Amino acid sequence: MSNVHRLRELLGIEADQATMREQGRRVAESEQRMPDVAEVLPDAIRQRSQDDDMAEALREPVSKALHESVTENPHSLVEILFPVMGPAIRRSIAETLRAALEGLNQSLADGFSLRNLRWRLEAWRTGVPFREVVLRHTLTYRVAEALLINKENGLLICRVGEMTDSPGMDRDAVAAMLTAIEDFVADSTGEEEGELSSAELGERVLWVLTGPHARLALVLEGQPPLTLRITLRDHLAVIHQDHGTYLYEFSGQEEAPAPLIAKLEKLLKFSAQDQQEAVRRPPRIAGPILLLLLVAGLGLVGHWLYRGQQQKQQWAALEAQIASVPGIVWVEGLIDRKPPELRLLADPLADSPGELVRSAGYGDGDLALSVTPFVSAEPEIELRRLVKALAPLPQAVTVTLRDGSIVIAGTADRYWFRQLAAHLEFARINVPVDITGLQQTVESPDSPVIPDEER
Amino acid sequence: MKSVKVCILGDFAVGKTSLVRRFVDEAFSERYLTTVGVKIDTKTVHPEGAEPIKLVLWDVAGADELSALQTSYVRGSAGFILVCDLTRRETLTTATKLKSEVAAQFGPVPWCLFANKNDLTEEREIDDMALSELTEDGWIVHTTSAKTGFNVESAVLALASRLSIDAGRSP
Ligand SMILES: Nc1nc2c(ncn2[C@@H]2O[C@H](COP(=O)(O)OP(=O)(O)O)[C@@H](O)[C@H]2O)c(=O)[nH]1
Ligand SMILES: [Mg+2]
């Protein structure tokens, strides 16, 4: 025996060699068996899957493995479920957005409704783009119902507001159900407390906020802004601060204390209007007043425009009239002056310009009229001038205008004949005078002859 | 009206949901049972010589032990109903186990056992002897049948009476 062998013997190694060989053989064998077993395992399970035995054998390890996996990492469950739930959630969000956009489009397309006009006025008044004003108004909301629920036992502590949805739905059951759902969500996401859960209830939205001892569930109508959550959280904090012990110890008592009910009722008064009014300047009252002023202003402008039009017409009428009146000449008219100014030339024998202006509707002070006298050569005025010069006309004599000529006809005595001849000779008459129809009366011996000088 | 939370616990398929459906005012939210693992119903009962009381019933989906989630469902219960299936012996074992778990987690809470499916006399595995042994141990046991309605109403009323007395004592 070699020294080495002896040494081995002394150390007891030699004796174990057999065992080691045996173990090595087993390892090699099991390694060899593994692929064999792996090959038949699925078929073996499939073959016996109808047996209760197999199900029973697997139930424990499978459920244990699942349970352990979920306990160790709850997020894995969420991740597993996400591919299923994700698209559904995304679809729901897309649906909601689409609905909101539709509402907006509807509002914009609403055309000339009174509401639309009001919003346009508001946009104009506040300088906010119209689109935004519409959004602001469509983003209104209302708290329809509020439930305060004990966090531990899910019992309803207090309820205010109208019975939204089917009134038959038992609020105690709803409170319990919401509690169960919140527990379920917290359990499956591994989060201590859901920040805020929300769900759609047909037309309405349900928000659930969790406090240390109580949950607040709100049924909202419309489109609540995200900032509302902060407000609500503060409100829930105040409720806890003031009624913490009551909330904590609540075990189904009938009546909640009045101050607590009052605090909950305050929630019902939350609405979009409040929040908007708070940030909007000027305050609410300015709205109607401004509108009124605007209407009055519009009225004034309308009146002014109307008046302007009317004045122009009146002026034109006056001008036309003056043009048609003999012996008056329109020199200059300044309608833009206040009062309007009018300069005329007027023959003393023409109609009174003052009278004319008055008859055209201009009262005292409505018009600054200045009249410069002149001698008109118009036939009508020439006629008047002649008539005046020959006055008094004998009764049998007529003086008329015919085709631009002055026609003197009838019979007159010799004396008047002389007078006429003198006048026609010295006066400058710019119109032809026709005396072919004038005859001298036969002198009657009785008629006294009065010398010129005495007349 | 005063309201209390009552949990219904028991092994799979012992008849918890069927029992609740038997005596509640109206069936509510059955679909939540599969999703969330609990079904809520309410029942107003009028115990003799006491104010009416509203039971908010939590039908917790079957389990032979309480998971973290089920524990959260049981929390805050004023009382609970254990249910076992008379045709399956192991469901009584589960009920016993659940009772200990609840007691360990939440301390003493009024409870009772509904030994259900009383109508299936032929297949019965738990006999009257076993039940009376339980009664001797201080259990309150009601044999019931969700199918025929046997004893269901009175068993619930019995628990409600105890709860309303307890409720009267609490603040
Ligand atoms: N014969 C009979 N069948 C019952 C009774 N209660 C429940 N079942 C049946 O047992 C099965 C399980 O009932 P279910 O209420 O879902 O049990 P759960 O899992 O405990 O809620 C159903 O097929 C029921 O019809 C009963 O009292 N008698
Ligand atoms: Mg069930």
Side-chain angles (χ1 to χ4, degrees):
Chain A
M1 193 186 280
S2 72
N3 283 339
V4 177
H5 263 220
R6 275 198 57 149
L7 202 60
R8 278 183 172 178
E9 226 172 43
L10 281 169
L11 290 166
I13 292 170
E14 199 65 16
D16 278 352
Q17 288 237 308
T19 326
M20 281 175 74
R21 263 196 301 278
E22 169 66 15
Q23 278 175 346
R25 193 180 55 78
R26 269 200 214 161
V27 167
E29 214 169 73
S30 80
E31 259 170 17
Q32 198 197 332
R33 254 200 322 227
M34 208 139 39
D36 297 343
V37 173
E39 203 172 300
V40 296
L41 192 63
D43 283 331
I45 292 173
R46 212 170 288 134
Q47 203 176 353
R48 300 216 44 193
S49 63
Q50 301 302 319
D51 292 10
D52 288 346
D53 275 3
M54 179 61 96
E56 200 151 296
L58 285 177
R59 197 178 71 181
E60 187 90 341
V62 167
S63 69
K64 207 166 172 186
L66 248 178
H67 188 259
E68 262 167 32
S69 149
V70 171
T71 315
E72 224 160 79
N73 184 9
H75 288 280
S76 66
L77 179 71
V78 178
E79 272 156 33
I80 290 165
L81 286 175
F82 190 75
V84 189
M85 294 170 75
I89 292 167
R90 273 198 301 279
R91 200 162 43 240
S92 158
I93 291 171
E95 196 72 12
T96 313
L97 276 177
R98 199 179 50 76
L101 273 178
E102 249 168 34
L104 181 63
N105 286 340
Q106 183 57 43
S107 312
L108 288 173
D110 238 359
F112 199 75
S113 68
L114 193 66
R115 188 182 64 173
N116 206 297
L117 185 67
R118 207 170 57 226
W119 290 351
R120 280 194 189 280
L121 258 174
E122 184 182 327
W124 170 78
R125 181 163 60 86
T126 55
V128 175
F130 177 60
R131 224 184 124 90
E132 213 168 287
V133 171
V134 174
L135 250 180
R136 223 189 243 177
H137 282 281
T138 44
L139 277 177
T140 53
Y141 72 94
R142 185 175 76 94
V143 179
E145 189 178 0
L147 311 177
L148 193 64
I149 306 163
N150 182 279
K151 195 176 137 191
E152 186 169 88
N153 54 31
L155 292 173
L156 185 63
I157 298 167
C158 185
R159 191 201 77 84
V160 295
E162 67 198 61
M163 290 293 265
T164 51
D165 286 311
S166 48
M169 208 141 133
D170 188 337
R171 263 33 187 184
D172 291 291
V174 171
M177 203 66 239
L178 288 177
T179 306
I181 291 169
E182 289 296 311
D183 285 349
F184 175 79
V185 170
D187 186 79
S188 51
T189 58
E191 264 146 42
E192 268 293 291
E193 221 99 87
E195 163 62 12
L196 177 127
S197 305
S198 67
E200 299 214 1
L201 300 175
E203 304 259 287
R204 301 189 174 88
V205 201
L206 174 78
W207 278 10
V208 183
L209 292 100
T210 304
H213 307 313
R215 287 200 168 92
L216 185 61
L218 297 163
V219 181
L220 297 150
E221 273 169 10
Q223 318 250 314
L226 293 181
T227 49
L228 179 64
R229 300 179 176 201
I230 301 162
T231 320
L232 290 174
R233 202 158 276 294
D234 290 349
H235 203 76
L236 186 60
V238 169
I239 289 176
H240 270 83
Q241 201 177 315
D242 295 355
H243 305 277
T245 316
Y246 179 82
L247 299 178
Y248 176 66
E249 288 176 351
F250 183 83
S251 60
Q253 290 91 332
E254 260 177 70
E255 279 288 319
L260 177 57
I261 297 172
K263 279 196 192 72
L264 216 56
E265 272 170 346
K266 219 169 131 188
L267 285 171
L268 299 176
K269 297 195 177 76
F270 283 19
S271 73
Q273 264 68 29
D274 301 340
Q275 289 206 341
Q276 277 176 29
E277 291 308 331
V279 292
R280 192 197 285 162
R281 318 234 184 281
R284 196 190 202 103
I285 189 76
I289 286 178
L290 241 126
L291 195 69
L292 224 97
L293 281 174
L294 189 79
V295 167
L298 277 174
L300 274 173
V301 167
H303 180 72
W304 179 68
L305 283 174
Y306 172 74
R307 276 286 298 155
Q309 190 61 29
Q310 208 188 25
Q311 276 176 359
K312 270 199 190 112
Q313 279 177 3
Q314 195 182 7
W315 192 254
L318 178 67
E319 196 172 353
Q321 196 179 355
I322 284 172
S324 73
V325 170
I328 299 180
V329 177
W330 181 286
V331 178
E332 192 178 29
L334 299 168
I335 192 176
D336 297 333
R337 298 283 169 84
K338 271 186 192 332
E341 287 176 17
L342 178 59
R343 291 210 292 118
L344 299 177
L345 293 176
D347 189 294
L349 291 173
D351 297 347
S352 152
E355 206 57 52
L356 266 174
V357 165
R358 254 192 301 284
S359 73
Y362 292 94
D364 292 336
D366 284 349
L367 192 72
L369 179 67
S370 73
V371 181
T372 310
F374 87 115
V375 178
S376 170
E378 278 183 78
E380 171 69 30
I381 299 303
E382 290 285 8
L383 173 77
R384 287 187 200 174
R385 198 174 294 124
L386 184 61
V387 169
K388 195 184 172 197
L390 300 175
L393 285 182
Q395 272 184 337
V397 171
T398 59
V399 180
T400 53
L401 265 182
R402 193 190 301 150
D403 301 328
S405 301
I406 296 171
V407 179
I408 305 171
T411 50
D413 58 21
R414 187 169 47 93
Y415 175 75
W416 190 79
F417 254 87
R418 263 212 321 248
Q419 192 184 353
L420 174 66
H423 185 74
L424 289 179
E425 193 176 338
F426 295 107
R428 286 216 340 258
I429 301 172
N430 301 295
V431 181
V433 179
D434 178 3
I435 52 166
T436 49
L438 190 66
Q439 288 181 345
Q440 194 176 330
T441 47
V442 181
E443 293 293 319
S444 106
D446 308 334
S447 61
V449 174
I450 305 155
D452 276 354
E453 301 85 301
E454 285 169 34
R455 292 202 54 145
Chain B
M1 193 191 310
K2 169 141 185 106
S3 49
V4 292
K5 173 177 177 177
V6 174
C7 251
I8 297 143
L9 297 170
D11 214 332
F12 295 103
V14 291
K16 299 181 294 293
T17 305
S18 308
L19 281 164
V20 170
R21 208 178 286 135
R22 257 280 162 201
F23 63 76
V24 294
D25 297 333
E26 65 181 305
F28 174 80
S29 68
E30 296 240 351
R31 70 200 153 101
Y32 285 110
L33 185 58
T34 45
T35 327
V36 181
V38 67
K39 188 168 83 74
I40 313 284
D41 289 282
T42 57
K43 166 78 174 172
T44 303
V45 289
H46 303 263
E48 222 172 299
E51 292 288 302
I53 187 166
K54 188 173 198 171
L55 308 180
V56 181
L57 300 153
W58 291 55
D59 170 8
V60 180
D64 50 6
E65 63 183 44
L66 293 179
S67 68
L69 178 59
Q70 283 160 327
T71 306
S72 76
Y73 288 163
V74 175
R75 182 173 295 121
S77 294
F80 62 99
I81 298 169
L82 287 173
V83 184
C84 72
D85 178 351
L86 284 171
T87 67
R88 286 184 293 153
R89 181 169 292 280
E90 73 273 14
T91 62
L92 182 55
T93 316
T94 304
T96 313
K97 208 166 99 190
L98 287 169
K99 181 192 83 73
S100 317
E101 271 187 63
V102 172
Q105 295 256 19
F106 303 110
V109 179
W111 63 278
C112 62
L113 176 73
F114 283 20
N116 193 39
K117 304 197 187 178
N118 160 266
D119 56 291
L120 299 175
T121 39
E122 298 286 295
E123 292 134 70
R124 213 168 139 167
E125 279 185 14
I126 306 168
D127 56 16
D128 285 336
M129 268 288 280
L131 294 182
S132 52
E133 271 172 33
L134 291 173
T135 314
E136 277 163 28
D137 284 354
W139 288 43
I140 295 168
V141 182
H142 305 276
T143 48
T144 59
S145 168
K147 192 178 177 187
T148 65
F150 173 75
N151 229 359
V152 179
E153 197 83 30
S154 59
V156 174
L157 192 63
L159 180 68
S161 302
R162 286 165 60 204
L163 293 178
S164 78
I165 291 163
D166 282 8
R169 279 201 227 105
S170 73

